[in-house]
Amino acid sequence: KQEVTQIPAALSVPEGENLVLNCSFTDSAIYNLQWFRQDPGKGLTSLLLIQSSQREQTSGRLNASLDKSSGRSTLYIAASQPGDSATYLCAVKVGRDDKIIFGKGTRLHILP
Amino acid sequence: DVKVTQSSRYLVKRTGEKVFLECVQDMDHENMFWYRQDPGLGLRLIYFSYDVKMKEKGDIPEGYSVSREKKERFSLILESASTNQTSMYLCASSLSGAVRTEAFFGQGTRLTVV
């Protein structure tokens, strides 16, 4: 059974720092991996999608990498800002049955 | 823009009531999902549908049922609401079997059962 783990569960960093969020998954048979952002009480907003054949994707200050063989992905946020404070979730689309499995998220707080 | 729309942002229902949560997507996606999200437990899959009238149980289907009579609409039904079903409910949709496509989420329904 696919399991997705995110470490750390919570993170506080001063504004302006670069930071890395980690995601690991147990079964490498995935279609893709997606990073989401969730603000308190809201739905999920898609940030980046990495296909199973890709190594990384970039959008603005965000860069996501994927190492399928080792079951790992990282989300790199450059020059963090207070507006980046949110919960970040990673999810994998499972190849065999199209299900999407989530990690529990990393709650990020950027200190002004 | 892809849109996944959930019928209510907030709902308050009484124990024992039958509750319907509705979700509509406008991108002709085959797959639709219902999750619940609870502190410390993350998002857990309740039910999944990969086509009209087709459904599959997720990790926590007990106490829930679903209906998908039309491709764009996926309903979650709480047959007899209980207080332990108080939660945030999230609906999502995606294309079937495609590597490149994202999952899109609705804004969530915060359900309180009293």
Side-chain angles (χ1 to χ4, degrees):
Chain A
K1 180 185 173 185
Q2 178 73 267
E3 292 185 1
V4 181
T5 303
Q6 290 187 247
I7 295 172
L11 183 63
S12 293
V13 299
E15 179 179 2
E17 283 200 8
N18 303 325
L19 58 99
V20 174
L21 307 181
N22 296 294
C23 173
S24 62
F25 48 95
T26 55
D27 186 345
S28 62
I30 63 170
Y31 271 146
N32 61 44
L33 184 145
Q34 200 167 349
W35 282 93
F36 293 88
R37 169 188 172 131
Q38 186 179 31
D39 294 293
K42 301 287 180 63
L44 276 64
T45 300
S46 179
L47 296 173
L48 288 164
L49 174 80
I50 311 177
Q51 301 168 37
S52 59
S53 60
Q54 295 178 323
R55 299 285 292 183
E56 65 178 336
Q57 282 287 325
T58 297
S59 176
R61 293 182 295 108
L62 305 180
N63 175 276
S65 69
L66 175 64
D67 183 344
K68 211 174 104 167
S69 61
S70 67
R72 294 183 181 182
S73 176
T74 61
L75 179 67
Y76 175 83
I77 303 176
S80 58
Q81 303 170 357
D84 295 331
S85 296
T87 296
Y88 291 80
L89 296 139
C90 77
V92 295
K93 188 172 187 180
V94 178
R96 281 180 291 278
D97 56 9
D98 266 1
K99 288 182 183 176
I100 300 173
I101 308 297
F102 280 83
K104 292 184 179 179
T106 295
R107 193 169 61 254
L108 177 64
H109 182 47
I110 306 299
L111 305 166
Chain B
D1 266 4
V2 173
K3 276 211 167 164
V4 179
T5 304
Q6 294 181 230
S7 53
S8 306
R9 286 295 310 276
Y10 302 95
L11 275 179
V12 180
K13 296 292 182 180
R14 295 194 180 277
T15 300
E17 274 193 74
K18 190 168 186 176
V19 181
F20 293 85
L21 302 183
E22 306 284 348
C23 176
V24 177
Q25 50 94 4
D26 65 359
M27 279 301 289
D28 204 36
H29 285 171
E30 293 88 1
N31 296 336
M32 295 188 76
F33 308 82
W34 275 106
Y35 293 87
R36 65 177 281 177
Q37 185 177 31
D38 301 287
L41 297 177
L43 274 84
R44 293 178 291 168
L45 182 64
I46 304 171
Y47 267 99
F48 160 55
S49 170
Y50 50 91
D51 204 347
V52 174
K53 296 189 188 293
M54 306 303 285
K55 63 185 179 185
E56 195 170 311
K57 292 180 180 179
D59 298 320
I60 51 164
E62 297 79 18
Y64 303 95
S65 62
V66 290
S67 171
R68 190 147 180 222
E69 297 297 318
K70 294 184 178 181
K71 193 174 186 180
E72 68 270 19
R73 186 180 297 270
F74 191 35
S75 302
L76 180 70
I77 304 158
L78 286 65
E79 298 290 344
S80 177
S82 64
T83 55
N84 63 13
Q85 292 178 310
T86 292
S87 187
M88 170 72 105
Y89 289 87
L90 292 160
C91 173
S93 73
S94 75
L95 283 173
S96 173
V99 171
R100 295 181 190 83
T101 60
E102 304 164 67
F104 295 90
F105 277 79
Q107 77 277 28
T109 297
R110 171 75 64 184
L111 173 67
T112 302
V113 182
V114 298

